[in-house]
Amino acid sequence: MINFVKNQLNVKAKKEINYNIIISEDIFNSQNEVILSGGKKKESRRFIIIDDFIYKLHYEKIETYFEKKLIKTKIISLPGGEANKTVANYLELFKELNDYPIDRRREPIIGIGGGVITDIVGLMASTFRGSTPHIKIPTTLMGYIDAAVQIKTGVNFGDSLNRMVCYEPPYTVILDKSFLRTLPNRHLINGIAGVLKLAVIKDSWLFEYLERYGEEGIESKFQNQPGQGILNRTIVGMVDELQANLYETVLERPLDFGHTFSPVLEVDSCGDLLHGEAVALDIAFSIVLANQLELLSDSAVDRILRLMDKLNLPYYHFILKPERLWESLLDQMRHRDGFQRVPLPTMIGGCIFINNITYENIVEACRGLEQIYRANGGGNADQRELGS
Amino acid sequence: MINFVKNQLNVKAKKEINYNIIISEDIFNSQNEVILSGGKKKESRRFIIIDDFIYKLHYEKIETYFEKKLIKTKIISLPGGEANKTVANYLELFKELNDYPIDRRREPIIGIGGGVITDIVGLMASTFRGSTPHIKIPTTLMGYIDAAVQIKTGVNFGDSLNRMVCYEPPYTVILDKSFLRTLPNRHLINGIAGVLKLAVIKDSWLFEYLERYGEEGIESKFQNQPGQGILNRTIVGMVDELQANLYETVLERPLDFGHTFSPVLEVDSCGDLLHGEAVALDIAFSIVLANQLELLSDSAVDRILRLMDKLNLPYYHFILKPERLWESLLDQMRHRDGFQRVPLPTMIGGCIFINNITYENIVEACRGLEQIYRANGGGNADQRELGS
């Protein structure tokens, strides 16, 4: 029997998190019920938010699927892209959902799209009636290997990226790599930045695999065996990291690699840089910084930059300015309780956390990276080429 | 080692919820550090949202307290009352917090006020950077025995009460009953509805205690021993219920008693009814309904209504209309996955869940309650008297 003891009463409970990441194919074929598993079926309702590009390609199939199953739907299409990850969109969709509406626990909200869409859907699910189940179906590479498998959801708040954020475990994540077939090349490369992040920071096997099969995987839009191999290995690595620290109670996160300096790059580029491109620039900058701090060898830096070049990842951009990179670090320190806690690689596949980076270090690393870039006669990192 | 098995990867984790509800006194005396326990102290910052009435009474003490401790503060006062539990207020406060800002994990947001204030603060804490600690200090009776000790937080969404809602465990709840001293009588009685709810549905001991000491407790504004006895017993009962079902995974909740029909009453009264007053009307209606469904004896109904009358709780209001009560039930069914799951008492101190209430039952119960009201020559439930 609980009671006050010395004027104090302790409330204790456990919340179990348990969700499946399921690889499936042809998910809108009427034989495939993975999208309905667990929820109420006949005569039920679904609220679906879908990337507008994907919707244009697949709307007939999707609508027919639910009609055949006698499930009513409200489908709202939304353009992807960071500029749409706004409080305004979240509120508008929340209103649509509330007007529709759905049952609280057995008619999951479904998000089909890139990280922007699945992140908004997750926030809606977290805040609608205090948690409604949601299903995430990523259609971009970055969504597939990163955003959709996480429990972190949210929107930007003005210039503050991912500031209005909730942890909300999905009901299910459904991975259908056929969506990647229609992804523009630039978006494939954008996603590869997330794969590279994981490879550098914790998985030398994945790094070597990328060296050997990366180009081929991208070439096939991840439809061939090496492509699937890269996807699976990355997700397993992600889940391995996430599961141990799902609510980010530990603020030293290897997954923060590439995310200390990139936020200002995304903001400063005014939408010109995709998230993964900014992460790639952060990775390039961070490895040069790690090298100058005598953490990472010349040969490792060289190997990483060669791989980035091979995979067409940008590694330099005139937007890299020491003052702004420093400001980004200071802002991230609020997020990391006053410490820098910057993950920096000590080798390919391993990292430590650094707390004593100075402004001078940043100036020097910036200069170092630019020199490498100039020595290679520019590269694929020039802004004009990014949009191509 | 985790990996895909048959194209499926399971993510499993546990989140531990652990927070203290602490009874304290004179919490802004510099000797008292309960409000700072756990957080960063010297040279830290606190973002504080406080009920404007409480702020006017105590601002000198509060400001001096933090100054002496060398803690910077941003204090924002906000009027209490359901009309302020809006998305607009939430967003504005979120912006203030983001502009201020605080560290992510060691500078708790502090909410001092009634349920409206602590609910908004909880939602902010849940969504700012994906969970920031928060401390709740209730200053109303309803906050003290109900809102503040819960993990459910949120705001209304237009006419939909508590629709934008998150579960966010507080860092600490600090109970200082001296705040109740300045509470207007109507707000004390408002809070008593929450005590009565618990007594009827699960605690006959508390019911008898209320019969014996309720008036005396209210008279002393809960400053005397019986007053503290009522508070403690109610909180222990609340926590007992909450702890077993903290995330409302079980949709049959005894605590939903008084909350099936009251939402429309709150909306329809356009702010004339306080939350607890609407709950009181729901309780009175529900026990007459339970009686007509042959669940609850005449004598129990009589005893409950007599206690309500004694404690000046409203038990009838012309706003009770069968059509609207039915609509409220239908709306709650969405919240309870398509079933009514209405908790109704079978005796004083016990309840069951009912799923087959008909519209006719509601018409009849409405008529029954009105008859009781007329037979008693009106009562304290007349609208004109409510505001007094």
Side-chain angles (χ1 to χ4, degrees):
Chain A
M1 176 67 185
I2 53 159
N3 215 330
F4 281 94
V5 176
K6 290 187 181 169
N7 286 330
Q8 199 156 320
L9 198 160
N10 182 246
V11 183
K12 242 187 173 141
K14 273 198 184 83
K15 187 187 177 188
E16 311 260 353
I17 290 91
N18 192 341
Y19 61 95
N20 284 319
I21 300 172
I22 301 168
I23 297 176
S24 190
E25 270 175 53
D26 206 7
I27 58 171
F28 293 112
N29 181 316
S30 66
Q31 303 297 309
N32 191 330
E33 296 228 330
V34 66
I35 206 171
L36 303 178
S37 62
K40 188 188 172 195
K41 292 180 192 172
K42 269 184 197 153
E43 289 172 31
S44 67
R45 300 150 75 92
R46 292 295 186 278
F47 188 84
I48 301 170
I49 302 176
I50 182 166
D51 179 274
D52 63 351
F53 176 73
I54 296 294
Y55 189 55
K56 270 175 215 146
L57 288 176
H58 302 289
Y59 72 95
E60 271 180 293
K61 217 170 172 180
I62 295 173
E63 285 171 10
T64 308
Y65 179 85
F66 287 103
E67 271 164 28
K68 270 195 186 162
K69 304 282 180 196
L70 303 177
I71 291 174
K72 283 189 189 146
T73 55
K74 168 115 189 176
I75 302 179
I76 298 181
S77 72
L78 192 78
E82 207 62 31
N84 294 297
K85 200 171 164 179
T86 59
V87 174
N89 273 341
Y90 158 61
L91 292 177
E92 204 182 306
L93 291 167
F94 195 97
K95 187 179 182 319
E96 294 274 4
L97 175 62
N98 193 36
D99 289 345
Y100 181 49
I102 50 168
D103 276 359
R104 187 179 182 193
R105 292 286 170 75
R106 54 178 186 171
E107 296 176 335
I109 306 170
I110 300 172
I112 308 170
V116 169
I117 305 268
T118 55
D119 274 8
I120 295 182
V121 166
L123 183 63
M124 289 172 64
S126 181
T127 54
F128 186 67
R129 297 182 185 280
S131 189
T132 289
H134 72 292
I135 294 173
K136 299 197 269 192
I137 304 174
T139 61
T140 65
L141 182 56
M142 195 54 119
Y144 195 107
I145 56 115
D146 191 324
V149 301
Q150 301 215 26
I151 72 163
K152 211 160 150 184
T153 69
V155 295
N156 303 327
F157 190 81
D159 270 357
S160 305
L161 299 187
N162 296 320
R163 192 55 46 90
M164 188 175 277
V165 164
C166 268
Y167 299 105
E168 180 69 12
Y171 182 76
T172 315
V173 184
I174 301 170
L175 304 176
D176 181 347
K177 73 176 187 310
S178 70
F179 286 114
L180 306 180
R181 269 194 216 129
T182 49
L183 210 59
N185 222 39
R186 185 180 173 193
H187 284 263
L188 281 175
I189 291 164
N190 180 58
I192 274 286
V195 179
L196 180 74
K197 172 181 92 169
L198 209 75
V200 170
I201 218 73
K202 73 166 273 170
D203 191 350
S204 60
W205 187 95
L206 179 59
F207 191 89
E208 283 170 32
Y209 200 82
L210 277 176
E211 288 182 315
R212 192 175 290 186
Y213 299 112
E215 284 175 295
E216 194 184 318
I218 296 173
E219 184 75 32
S220 83
K221 305 222 175 211
F222 296 89
Q223 303 303 306
N224 63 3
Q225 196 277 323
Q228 184 76 62
I230 292 169
L231 298 177
N232 286 11
R233 180 81 185 188
T234 307
I235 290 170
V236 166
M238 277 292 291
V239 169
D240 185 41
E241 281 300 316
L242 290 170
Q243 200 165 237
N245 189 21
L246 207 54
Y247 286 87
E248 302 187 8
T249 40
V250 179
L251 294 177
E252 291 190 342
R253 299 176 66 240
L255 293 178
D256 275 345
F257 184 54
H259 289 74
T260 300
F261 307 105
S262 59
V264 297
L265 303 178
E266 280 192 73
V267 171
D268 291 354
S269 83
C270 299
D272 272 0
L273 284 177
L274 295 176
H275 175 67
E277 291 167 347
V279 169
L281 294 172
D282 183 320
I283 291 175
F285 172 77
S286 295
I287 58 170
V288 172
L289 178 64
N291 178 253
Q292 292 186 344
L293 295 173
E294 296 182 358
L295 298 170
L296 188 67
S297 70
D298 292 351
S299 66
V301 171
D302 191 49
R303 212 174 136 199
I304 296 168
L305 289 177
R306 260 187 292 128
L307 178 57
M308 291 181 76
D309 199 42
K310 197 170 169 184
L311 303 179
N312 285 309
L313 279 164
Y315 66 87
Y316 182 75
H317 194 287
F318 63 79
I319 214 170
L320 288 157
K321 295 266 178 269
E323 317 83 61
R324 291 291 287 153
L325 298 177
W326 181 249
E327 280 169 34
S328 197
L329 177 57
L330 293 181
D331 189 55
Q332 286 307 306
M333 283 172 69
R334 285 256 174 236
H335 206 59
R336 298 170 190 166
D337 270 6
F339 292 90
Q340 294 183 343
R341 307 186 208 261
V342 177
L344 287 179
T346 50
M347 60 180 180
I348 287 169
C351 71
I352 58 169
F353 292 87
I354 298 297
N355 288 302
N356 57 355
I357 297 167
T358 64
Y359 180 65
E360 287 64 40
N361 294 146
I362 288 186
V363 172
E364 207 182 322
C366 231
R367 197 181 302 134
L369 183 61
E370 190 178 350
Q371 273 163 6
I372 294 170
Y373 173 68
R374 300 285 166 220
N376 291 329
N380 53 35
D382 189 86
Q383 198 194 22
R384 270 161 294 139
E385 284 182 47
L386 275 178
S388 66
Chain B
M1 177 68 184
I2 52 159
N3 216 330
F4 281 95
V5 176
K6 291 190 181 167
N7 285 329
Q8 201 157 317
L9 198 160
N10 182 247
V11 183
K12 243 186 171 142
K14 273 199 183 79
K15 187 186 176 188
E16 311 259 353
I17 289 92
N18 192 341
Y19 62 95
N20 283 321
I21 301 172
I22 302 169
I23 297 176
S24 190
E25 270 175 54
D26 207 7
I27 58 172
F28 293 111
N29 181 314
S30 66
Q31 302 298 308
N32 190 331
E33 296 228 332
V34 66
I35 205 170
L36 302 179
S37 60
K40 188 186 172 197
K41 292 181 191 173
K42 267 184 198 153
E43 288 172 33
S44 66
R45 301 151 75 91
R46 293 294 186 278
F47 187 84
I48 302 171
I49 302 175
I50 182 166
D51 178 274
D52 63 351
F53 177 74
I54 296 294
Y55 190 55
K56 269 174 217 149
L57 288 176
H58 302 289
Y59 72 94
E60 272 181 292
K61 215 168 172 181
I62 296 173
E63 284 170 10
T64 309
Y65 180 85
F66 288 103
E67 271 163 29
K68 270 194 186 162
K69 303 282 178 197
L70 303 178
I71 292 174
K72 284 189 188 147
T73 54
K74 167 117 190 174
I75 303 179
I76 298 181
S77 71
L78 191 78
E82 206 63 31
N84 294 297
K85 200 171 165 180
T86 59
V87 174
N89 273 342
Y90 158 61
L91 291 177
E92 203 182 305
L93 291 166
F94 195 99
K95 187 179 182 320
E96 294 275 6
L97 175 61
N98 194 36
D99 290 345
Y100 181 48
I102 51 169
D103 277 358
R104 187 179 182 194
R105 292 287 171 74
R106 54 179 187 171
E107 297 177 335
I109 307 170
I110 301 172
I112 308 170
V116 169
I117 305 269
T118 55
D119 273 8
I120 294 182
V121 166
L123 183 63
M124 289 173 63
S126 180
T127 53
F128 186 68
R129 297 180 185 278
S131 190
T132 290
H134 72 292
I135 294 173
K136 298 196 271 192
I137 304 174
T139 62
T140 65
L141 182 55
M142 194 53 118
Y144 195 107
I145 56 115
D146 191 324
V149 301
Q150 301 216 26
I151 71 163
K152 211 160 150 183
T153 69
V155 295
N156 303 328
F157 190 81
D159 270 357
S160 305
L161 298 186
N162 296 318
R163 191 56 46 88
M164 187 176 277
V165 165
C166 269
Y167 298 106
E168 180 70 13
Y171 182 77
T172 315
V173 183
I174 301 172
L175 304 176
D176 180 347
K177 72 178 188 310
S178 71
F179 286 114
L180 305 181
R181 266 191 218 132
T182 49
L183 209 58
N185 223 40
R186 186 180 172 194
H187 284 263
L188 281 175
I189 291 165
N190 179 57
I192 275 287
V195 179
L196 180 73
K197 172 181 91 169
L198 209 74
V200 170
I201 218 73
K202 73 166 275 172
D203 191 352
S204 60
W205 188 95
L206 179 60
F207 191 91
E208 284 171 32
Y209 200 82
L210 277 176
E211 286 181 318
R212 193 175 289 187
Y213 299 112
E215 283 175 295
E216 194 185 318
I218 296 172
E219 184 76 31
S220 82
K221 304 218 176 216
F222 296 89
Q223 303 303 307
N224 63 2
Q225 195 277 324
Q228 185 77 61
I230 292 170
L231 297 178
N232 287 11
R233 180 82 185 186
T234 307
I235 289 169
V236 166
M238 277 293 290
V239 169
D240 185 41
E241 282 299 315
L242 289 170
Q243 200 165 239
N245 189 21
L246 207 53
Y247 286 87
E248 303 188 8
T249 39
V250 179
L251 294 177
E252 292 190 340
R253 300 177 66 240
L255 293 177
D256 275 344
F257 184 54
H259 288 74
T260 300
F261 307 105
S262 59
V264 297
L265 303 178
E266 280 192 73
V267 171
D268 290 355
S269 83
C270 299
D272 272 0
L273 283 178
L274 296 176
H275 175 66
E277 290 166 347
V279 168
L281 294 173
D282 183 320
I283 291 175
F285 173 77
S286 295
I287 58 170
V288 172
L289 178 64
N291 178 253
Q292 292 186 345
L293 294 173
E294 297 182 357
L295 298 170
L296 188 67
S297 69
D298 292 350
S299 66
V301 172
D302 190 51
R303 212 174 137 198
I304 296 167
L305 289 176
R306 260 188 291 131
L307 178 57
M308 291 181 78
D309 198 44
K310 197 170 169 183
L311 303 179
N312 284 310
L313 280 164
Y315 66 88
Y316 182 75
H317 194 287
F318 64 79
I319 214 170
L320 288 157
K321 295 269 179 265
E323 317 82 63
R324 292 290 289 152
L325 299 177
W326 181 249
E327 280 169 34
S328 196
L329 177 56
L330 293 181
D331 189 54
Q332 287 305 307
M333 283 172 68
R334 286 255 173 237
H335 207 60
R336 298 169 190 166
D337 270 5
F339 291 91
Q340 295 183 342
R341 307 184 207 260
V342 177
L344 287 179
T346 51
M347 58 180 184
I348 287 168
C351 71
I352 56 168
F353 293 87
I354 298 297
N355 287 301
N356 56 356
I357 298 168
T358 64
Y359 181 64
E360 287 63 41
N361 295 147
I362 288 186
V363 173
E364 208 182 321
C366 229
R367 197 181 302 137
L369 183 61
E370 190 178 352
Q371 274 164 5
I372 293 169
Y373 172 68
R374 300 287 166 217
N376 292 328
N380 55 36
D382 188 87
Q383 199 193 23
R384 268 161 295 141
E385 283 184 46
L386 276 178
S388 67

